[in-house]
Amino acid sequence: MKSYQTNPFTYEVIKDALIATGEEMFIALAKTSMSPIVYEVLDYACGLTNNKGELVTQGNGVTGFIGMLSFMVKDTIEKHGDSIEEGDIYIINDPYKGGGSHLNDVGLVMPVFYEGELISFVANKAHWTDVGGKDPGSMSTNSTEIFQEGLQFTCLKLFSKNEVNEPLLKFIEANVRYPKISIGDLWAQVAALRTGEKRLKELCDKYDKEVILESVERFLDQGETLSLKEINNLPKGTFELSDLIDDDGITDDQINIQIKITITDDEFICDFTGTDPQVNGPINSSYTGLVSSVRTIFLAITNPAQDINDGAFRPLKVIAEKGSIVNTSSPAPTSMYWESMLYGNELIWKVLAPYLPEKLTAGHLMSVCTVIMGGKHPDKEGDFLIVEPSVGGWGAADNQDGDTGQFCILDGETFNVPVEIAETTYGVIIDEYSMRTDGAGAGKHRGGPGVIRSYRALTDNQFFTASYGHHKLNVWGANGGMDGSNNEFLFEKADGTIEGPFGKYNQYKLNKGDKVILRTATGGGYGDPKERSKKDIERDILNEYITVEQAYEFYGYKG
């Protein structure tokens, strides 16, 4: 253990202040943003790093960004190095490097100087509603190269010594479909960065710069110590598993992904070597996306209450072959990247669940289930655009039923757009928003139901795009529990004609009165269904989680 000069009481105060800084940046961005996917869904993250780009603290909505902010900063350091000056801000959405995911997730990085010394970086990453490309919303299930998906910002200087790069702003305005929203969100991100810069400088004024810098390093070392302590309690050895991803949106071919996990006394190594190469469709994931996915489940296994910082991830190693579907290279499309990224945590979750029943549940919906819908608004000038994830069912645990209607693990602490706001903002009516009581996921503890959500078009020539992964395979049960269901959607024409169900569809045409019906998966069950108590079965019937017929079929209930 290293020795530190700052007394432990002062350190704890500073540590909490650093965490609060990340949270205040997070709140500032939400309160000043222009798009519902930011201020309602919270599809963004904010954080600060040390001067080497190691994440110190993060205010987080989307857990899928846990591994991305520090990569953004490190790429900025690599590309701009000694030319970085106070007041500079860099814009980056490179999907192959620099904390990339897909082009919609636009990051900003800002250096923080104190008394002429670079002491830190503040950064954030937010989902822009549109960044250009061939389709509204910039996400497609049938794109075949990155150039179809929008603007690429390869760590460009947005501000130089506090002076905005006006030509770059004008270029963005001319190439996105909703410039007021996109530029508005950009300014919200800038406001969040400056909030973080202000708070860090205030801390240096109050406690002295050297005390702050030492406390930052101490916080990172503490994160490493806590992770090593928890790794020591995990089962040791090598664990292997392979699985199949539905398809890439271009062909129906399933895609192999595999992992070998090696757990030692001081390392947690995840090796994805042997996974299939990147594909033509847009479900390819960046390496940083994979790292974020693995980090999410690593925290769940080790210490989910631990404050997020790069020190906590020092014992974690993630290996993936360049050019594979989880470490993609240009010009592969990435707009629906989560359909492979999610398997980074899914494989670890599934293979270790039997060994860690107190920490890992049965399987959950396993897809962001993104919906993109737009067209002419019936009551307002111009068009509307819906971009939102969908909630679904989570798996049961060894001591409780699964949760109902929650976002997938990589969405984290995000929210859905409420019915009232959706109907006010968009040109649709939501005819149904209910639990999907399909009876799947039976067990001693049952899986949480997915949901049914339907949108009815109010004008002609609307469009609908969605990517619902885990459409071909059901969610897995654990310890004798039954599998859950799948994710799917279908279309119901105004004349009653039904098309579907589908897992992916790009730009389906909807006219007034047509509906799209979304169905997300019920989570997997845990334990033998025959061991579920009569009291619990009868309560589920009363609350309409299951029908009497389902109770008989899955649980043997006879009244």
Side-chain angles (χ1 to χ4, degrees), residues 173-212:
E173 288 176 349
N175 284 280
V176 300
R177 293 176 178 84
Y178 305 92
K180 183 178 179 181
I181 292 176
S182 294
I183 297 299
D185 286 343
L186 181 145
W187 284 114
Q189 290 178 257
V190 171
L193 295 181
R194 288 177 172 162
T195 298
E197 178 192 36
K198 180 181 179 182
R199 294 292 178 256
L200 277 170
K201 288 184 175 181
E202 288 173 349
L203 282 173
C204 289
D205 288 340
K206 184 174 182 179
Y207 292 102
D208 186 74
K209 178 185 67 177
E210 297 306 322
V211 171
I212 299 302

Side-chain angles (χ1 to χ4, degrees), residues 13-56:
V13 172
I14 293 171
K15 182 186 77 171
D16 288 346
L18 292 170
I19 294 170
T21 297
E23 292 172 349
E24 187 176 357
M25 291 167 62
F26 187 82
I27 293 168
L29 205 163
K31 287 187 176 295
T32 53
S33 67
M34 296 288 288
S35 55
I37 197 167
V38 175
Y39 64 74
E40 288 288 347
V41 177
L42 306 184
D43 191 351
Y44 69 101
C46 300
L48 61 95
T49 77
N50 62 11
N51 59 10
K52 297 187 290 290
E54 295 175 304
L55 185 69
V56 178

Side-chain angles (χ1 to χ4, degrees), residues 230 266 272 325 402 410 422-423 425 485:
E230 294 299 325
D266 55 8
F272 292 84
I325 195 171
L410 292 187
E423 291 186 339
T425 307
S485 49

Side-chain angles (χ1 to χ4, degrees), residues 391-393 402-406 432-439 446-453 485 518-522 539-546 550:
V391 298
D403 290 329
T404 302
Q406 301 294 316
E432 180 180 2
Y433 195 24
S434 64
M435 291 188 300
R436 184 184 181 186
T437 53
D438 53 13
R446 59 163 176 76
V451 302
I452 300 173
R453 186 174 171 107
S485 49
L518 314 171
R519 297 173 177 164
T520 57
T522 294
R539 185 184 64 226
D540 285 349
I541 294 171
L542 179 64
N543 292 327
E544 300 184 3
Y545 284 102
I546 59 174
Q550 289 168 344

Side-chain angles (χ1 to χ4, degrees), residues 178 375-385 425:
Y178 305 92
K376 188 180 185 303
H377 199 287
D379 304 317
K380 302 177 183 178
E381 288 292 328
D383 295 341
F384 73 92
L385 183 66
T425 307

Side-chain angles (χ1 to χ4, degrees), residues 151-350:
L151 296 172
Q152 298 181 61
F153 306 119
T154 54
C155 201
L156 307 177
K157 189 175 284 191
L158 178 66
F159 279 77
S160 179
K161 297 181 181 179
N162 291 314
E163 291 293 325
V164 67
N165 184 342
E166 288 288 353
L168 179 56
L169 271 186
K170 296 297 183 185
F171 177 78
I172 295 170
E173 288 176 349
N175 284 280
V176 300
R177 293 176 178 84
Y178 305 92
K180 183 178 179 181
I181 292 176
S182 294
I183 297 299
D185 286 343
L186 181 145
W187 284 114
Q189 290 178 257
V190 171
L193 295 181
R194 288 177 172 162
T195 298
E197 178 192 36
K198 180 181 179 182
R199 294 292 178 256
L200 277 170
K201 288 184 175 181
E202 288 173 349
L203 282 173
C204 289
D205 288 340
K206 184 174 182 179
Y207 292 102
D208 186 74
K209 178 185 67 177
E210 297 306 322
V211 171
I212 299 302
L213 295 178
E214 184 190 86
S215 295
V216 163
E217 297 309 311
R218 185 172 182 172
F219 192 23
L220 292 168
D221 291 342
Q222 186 180 64
E224 180 182 18
T225 299
L226 289 172
S227 287
L228 287 171
K229 180 180 178 182
E230 294 299 325
I231 287 175
N232 194 52
N233 296 326
L234 296 178
K236 304 300 185 294
T238 300
F239 310 85
E240 298 186 57
L241 185 69
S242 63
D243 208 339
L244 294 172
I245 302 171
D246 283 354
D247 53 65
D248 69 350
I250 305 298
T251 74
D252 288 330
D253 297 338
Q254 292 180 298
I255 302 145
N256 180 69
I257 183 167
Q258 60 190 59
I259 191 172
K260 180 170 73 173
I261 304 168
T262 303
I263 304 175
T264 68
D265 289 337
D266 55 8
E267 283 191 319
F268 192 106
I269 304 168
C270 301
D271 187 351
F272 292 84
T273 300
T275 292
D276 279 355
Q278 62 192 42
V279 291
N280 290 329
I283 68 163
N284 301 289
S285 172
S286 65
Y287 175 74
T288 53
L290 175 67
V291 170
S292 289
S293 183
V294 172
R295 283 183 171 190
T296 304
I297 198 69
F298 175 76
L299 280 177
I301 290 169
T302 53
N303 188 0
Q306 183 172 340
D307 299 312
I308 297 172
N309 65 59
D310 271 4
F313 303 119
R314 285 173 181 167
L316 177 64
K317 304 289 186 296
V318 181
I319 301 166
E321 295 168 292
K322 189 68 175 175
S324 69
I325 195 171
V326 288
N327 188 1
T328 192
S329 301
S330 180
T334 64
S335 64
M336 303 294 182
Y337 70 102
W338 57 83
E339 301 297 11
S340 58
M341 174 186 178
L342 270 157
Y343 283 82
N345 62 64
E346 170 78 353
L347 294 180
I348 300 169
W349 187 342
K350 191 173 183 179

